[in-house]
Amino acid sequence: MATIYYEKDADRSVLADRKVAILGYGSQGHAHALNLADSGIDVRVGLREGSSSRAKATEAGLKVTSVAEAAAEADVIMILLPDTEQQAVFEADIRPNLAAGDAILFAHGFNVRFGYVVAPDDVDVAMVAPKGPGHLVRRTYTEGGGVPALIAVSQDPTGGAHALALAYADAIGGTRAGVLETTFEEETETDLFGEQVVLCGGLSALVQAGFETLVGAGYQPESAYFECLHELKLIVDLMYEQGISGMRYSISTTAEYGDLTRGPRIINDAVRAEMRKVLGEIQDGTFAEEFIGEVRGGGANFTALREAGKAHQVEQVGAELRSMMPWIAAGKVRVEDASGGD
Ligand code: NAD
Ligand code: MG
């Protein structure tokens, strides 16, 4: 069985005499900084000169310094910068400001798992990774709840890294929902696999392919949109609340029979073989190398793929149909909230 920690398991006092730096004020950064401050933790936010987030963080009542100053002042440094930027910022602004016994924390294991950030031996390295977007980490905390989190320790020269990570998870609200013990390897590899194969990559491609198949067969794009995209949320909500069997209980027997007999023909052995291949590329570092290389090389292919996705017919049809359902847009996460500022 997995080890899951709750509020009673965390000792918040281990954070009482620590100074925490939150580097970055985007999706995760703003949520961690504000939750820690509300939990009474001594926190400062490290941002670039000229960052538009400086004003936002200052208005929110937080102390803002440069990244290097924050790293120097604090003895617990949470790195909430884009994964592609962490290595350069670590070498320029964090490493020179580390002292023995400091702790560096991550919200995703990517840079440690793939060797882009290698901390000195006398520094604790741990992860507190909320399993949800930053705006939810903040909102659920203010509502008295929390987003589940994963914790892991990869370096523990002080012997206190685990207790520190758990206290941090507690202070941002994670222990209210459950904090799962994992490793940097497991978190990084399962996170990448999930987003590539199921949550983002697999799902987007499934929706687009279903839509294209219906439209290609002469059906109205609007029908295809409702069928392949709009209804998805209703089905996912049922799965989220009651599992796959619970979802099947709520749909018609016609839908259930089609699900059970046709689903395995779509996600067939060839698809499963490709899933294992994608997992292999994650495990052997091929994906990480490709992604970091793409971004460092200017990201032309990345941008072209993103633009092609935006130009897909399902987006045009969807934008029109959603404009007739303003209540959907009213509940949406604003892009600015989700992705943070600069
Ligand atoms: P983000 O892009 O929303 O925010 C990044 C912040 O870093 C911004 O404030 C940006 O201005 C700042 N920044 C960018 N480059 C910088 C640089 N060179 N120097 C200084 N500041 C710089 O990022 P995020 O989505 O919050 O991700 C942060 C970390 O959290 C990543 O490791 C990510 O994998 C992890 N994570 C994110 C989510 C999520 O919901 N977004 C969930 C779990 C874990
Ligand atoms: Mg993820």
Side-chain angles (χ1 to χ4, degrees):
M1 262 315 262
T3 304
I4 303 183
Y5 302 101
Y6 293 96
E7 283 179 281
K8 63 174 171 39
D9 304 311
D11 176 8
R12 187 83 70 81
S13 74
V14 304
L15 266 178
D17 58 348
R18 307 288 298 252
K19 292 189 170 73
V20 179
I22 300 297
L23 306 185
Y25 199 70
S27 177
Q28 290 293 323
H30 88 283
H32 290 227
L34 293 170
N35 290 5
L36 290 172
D38 287 351
S39 291
I41 308 300
D42 180 359
V43 63
R44 76 261 313 116
V45 178
L47 290 171
R48 287 178 288 193
E49 305 298 330
S51 160
S52 66
S53 298
R54 281 186 169 246
K56 273 196 264 175
T58 308
E59 271 165 42
L62 295 161
K63 176 179 176 186
V64 178
T65 70
S66 71
V67 172
E69 271 175 85
E73 241 180 63
D75 50 36
V76 177
I77 300 159
M78 172 54 109
I79 305 176
L80 295 174
L81 310 170
D83 294 312
T84 48
E85 307 298 313
Q86 293 183 7
Q87 183 183 33
V89 176
F90 181 80
E91 296 305 335
D93 295 327
I94 304 174
R95 188 190 293 282
N97 290 303
L98 288 174
D102 283 359
I104 56 174
L105 303 180
F106 294 84
H108 179 34
F110 190 97
N111 278 276
V112 173
R113 163 63 182 84
F114 296 115
Y116 294 106
V117 171
V118 181
D121 289 342
D122 55 3
V123 165
D124 287 346
V125 179
M127 171 169 51
V128 181
K131 287 282 94 182
H135 76 277
L136 274 185
V137 173
R138 179 56 183 158
R139 199 214 296 159
T140 54
Y141 176 89
T142 60
E143 292 168 351
V147 165
L150 305 180
I151 60 168
V153 170
S154 75
Q155 248 176 243
D156 189 16
T158 70
H162 189 269
L164 178 72
L166 193 52
Y168 185 101
D170 187 59
I172 62 168
T175 52
R176 294 171 178 170
V179 172
L180 179 79
E181 178 88 48
T182 184
T183 61
F184 274 68
E185 289 73 21
E186 183 176 74
E187 185 275 340
T188 306
E189 292 161 25
T190 57
D191 187 75
L192 292 172
F193 181 82
E195 65 204 20
Q196 292 176 21
V197 170
V198 180
L199 306 174
C200 310
L203 187 58
S204 305
L206 183 67
V207 168
Q208 287 178 340
F211 176 89
E212 286 165 15
T213 302
L214 286 177
V215 172
Y219 297 98
Q220 300 181 81
E222 291 78 6
S223 295
Y225 176 82
F226 281 129
E227 211 43 64
C228 298
L229 194 151
H230 179 80
E231 270 199 56
L232 200 58
K233 172 164 166 47
L234 313 175
I235 296 298
V236 168
D237 282 349
L238 288 170
M239 288 172 60
Y240 179 81
E241 288 158 12
Q242 309 164 36
I244 293 174
S245 297
M247 178 274 289
R248 286 176 175 157
Y249 175 78
S250 294
I251 61 181
S252 67
T253 47
T254 317
E256 185 185 13
Y257 182 76
D259 165 347
L260 292 165
T261 57
R262 268 56 182 177
R265 286 172 52 189
I266 302 304
I267 307 302
N268 56 20
D269 287 346
V271 172
R272 287 168 187 272
E274 199 63 28
M275 286 184 179
R276 285 191 292 275
K277 204 167 147 192
V278 167
L279 179 59
E281 290 167 12
I282 292 167
Q283 291 168 329
D284 71 12
T286 304
F287 172 79
E289 201 179 317
E290 174 188 320
F291 172 55
I292 295 293
E294 169 70 23
V295 172
R296 288 186 183 160
N301 183 47
F302 193 176
T303 305
L305 291 170
R306 183 186 283 149
E307 293 309 316
K310 284 186 193 165
H312 193 282
Q313 192 185 3
V314 76
E315 302 305 320
Q316 324 310 322
V317 176
E320 262 173 50
L321 292 173
R322 287 192 301 274
S323 74
M324 302 306 286
M325 300 182 279
W327 58 91
I328 292 183
K332 85 177 180 189
V333 180
R334 286 161 60 233
V335 173
E336 309 89 273
D337 291 347
S339 65
D342 192 68

